[in-house]
Amino acid sequence: MDRLSDDPFETRLREAASRTETALAAALSGTSFLVAGAPDVLLSAMRHGSLDGGKRLRPFLVEESARLFGADPAAAAPVAIALECIHCYSLIHDDLPAMDDDDLRRGRPTVHKAFDEATAILAGDALLTLAFGLVAEADGAIEPGNRLALIRLLSREAGAAGMVGGQALDLAAETMVLDAAEIARMQAMKTGALIAFAAEAGAILAGAAPEARRALRRYGEILGLAFQLADDLLDETADAATLGKAAGKDAARGKKTLPALNGIAWTRNELDRLVGEAEAVLAPFGASAATLREAARFVAFRDR
Ligand code: GRG
């Protein structure tokens, strides 16, 4: 994160981002079992696409949901960075000419610009694959049944019924008109699935009761909706220098987002409503969910 705020929540988010950075750098250091012997250029492209940037919101949510249930932070760490690897792979692939065709990401050239298209595809593939290895090898930290449950859910949320499926629907929407419900479904898959996983992961790590696990899942789904609405709003209202990526792309492509369909006032209202819903879902957890409540506000009202 570039602009430093001394707000306690943002400080906490920044500290978590720094932990993610250190753990990701270690996982991509070339000495770790999962990548030792990888070609240098491929490893450099993986690092370019994943290190030194981003809000690291998803790892933060994994950490905070784990904390809520008293899970060991050492157990949360591999899940957090695995999820970030998948997020980074999705950004690398989304930026490719065959998809969103972007030159700028996190204020830097996208991976296919800094390297080439084939290397960017492979770097994304390798980050996705690495993610599952990272969770699988956390054998000292995560109880085997919980580890399998995490791998299974991560596969679903990242795959055809989750993020990849949402991206497929998004690409299809370029040649057909989606109504508001179809847009919401596409976004729940494309963006919401990984965020919902992040929120649910802590409950799985701690072997929490089904009702508590469902509540965290619901919180993550609401957060995903708010995240995407805020993202679409920023695409309309912020500039590329602030975002570190191109702005105004949806309107330029005639792509219908919920803010474009319903207007900015409706969007701000809806964001308020979603924050209220997230707070209500977290109410049974009392003060220990304070950071997750603040995360909902941050996601909805962020400026980048
Ligand atoms: C290519 C399989 C595949 C999926 C792509 C993530 C995604 C699906 C597309 C990215 C396009 C996009 C702008 C989606 C909106 C939500 C989103 C994921 C924004 C980027 O996430 P942030 O804001 O990024 O958390 P940082 O850089 O902070 O990590």
Side-chain angles (χ1 to χ4, degrees):
M1 296 172 66
D2 327 301
R3 279 167 299 130
L4 298 187
S5 137
D6 55 8
D7 168 74
F9 174 81
E10 294 210 20
T11 303
R12 204 171 167 123
L13 182 58
R14 225 167 27 238
E15 286 167 358
S18 156
R19 284 191 290 278
T20 296
E21 185 70 27
T22 306
L24 258 183
L28 292 167
S29 70
T31 55
S32 96
F33 165 74
L34 295 170
V35 297
D40 287 344
V41 174
L42 182 59
L43 211 45
S44 297
M46 291 164 76
R47 290 201 190 103
H48 181 95
S50 61
L51 296 180
D52 194 20
K55 295 177 285 297
R56 312 297 200 191
L57 177 72
R58 294 155 191 79
F60 175 75
L61 291 171
V62 173
E63 273 191 12
E64 287 301 326
S65 105
R67 192 189 314 280
L68 181 69
F69 292 102
D72 182 357
V79 180
I81 60 164
L83 186 57
E84 187 67 12
C85 283
I86 294 185
H87 169 60
C88 294
Y89 122 74
S90 81
L91 298 179
I92 296 171
H93 281 193
D94 186 65
D95 289 335
L96 286 166
M99 300 223 190
D100 235 22
D101 194 11
D102 275 305
D103 297 349
L104 190 67
R105 168 71 63 184
R106 294 173 167 173
R108 288 197 308 265
T110 47
V111 177
H112 66 274
K113 283 285 163 187
F115 294 80
D116 57 52
E117 250 181 89
T119 306
I121 293 169
L122 294 174
D125 292 342
L127 282 168
L128 171 63
T129 311
L130 174 63
F132 290 95
L134 288 168
V135 184
E137 77 172 4
D139 51 359
I142 314 176
E143 189 269 311
N146 294 342
R147 210 158 7 112
L148 273 181
L150 285 161
I151 289 171
R152 177 171 181 265
L153 187 64
L154 190 53
S155 168
R156 180 187 157 84
E157 303 301 351
M163 181 181 70
V164 173
Q167 180 77 347
L169 292 176
D170 196 20
L171 291 171
E174 287 179 7
T175 53
M176 59 194 262
V177 180
L178 302 188
D179 64 23
E182 289 165 332
I183 294 175
R185 173 173 173 249
M186 176 268 287
Q187 293 180 340
M189 292 169 73
K190 186 179 90 162
T191 312
L194 290 195
I195 294 178
F197 172 85
E200 192 176 353
I204 301 174
L205 275 166
E211 199 184 331
R213 181 171 158 182
R214 270 195 303 275
L216 262 287
R217 167 98 207 163
R218 182 65 200 134
Y219 162 80
E221 288 169 357
I222 297 164
L223 209 63
L225 289 173
F227 184 94
Q228 183 65 53
L229 266 188
D231 208 72
D232 292 338
L233 192 60
L234 286 171
D235 188 66
E236 290 206 9
T237 57
D239 57 39
T242 309
L243 297 179
K245 63 180 182 180
K249 289 204 69 172
D250 296 335
R253 292 183 165 197
K255 195 159 137 189
K256 282 291 173 235
T257 63
L258 293 178
L261 274 182
N262 299 316
I264 288 177
W266 175 89
T267 306
R268 297 220 156 101
N269 214 33
E270 183 63 5
L271 285 168
D272 277 332
R273 194 189 65 73
L274 288 167
V275 169
E277 209 181 324
E279 287 172 347
V281 169
L282 294 174
F285 299 97
S288 43
T291 305
L292 289 175
R293 270 191 281 278
E294 285 178 62
R297 304 195 68 77
F298 171 80
V299 160
F301 306 125
R302 67 203 163 98
D303 57 8
R304 62 196 176 279

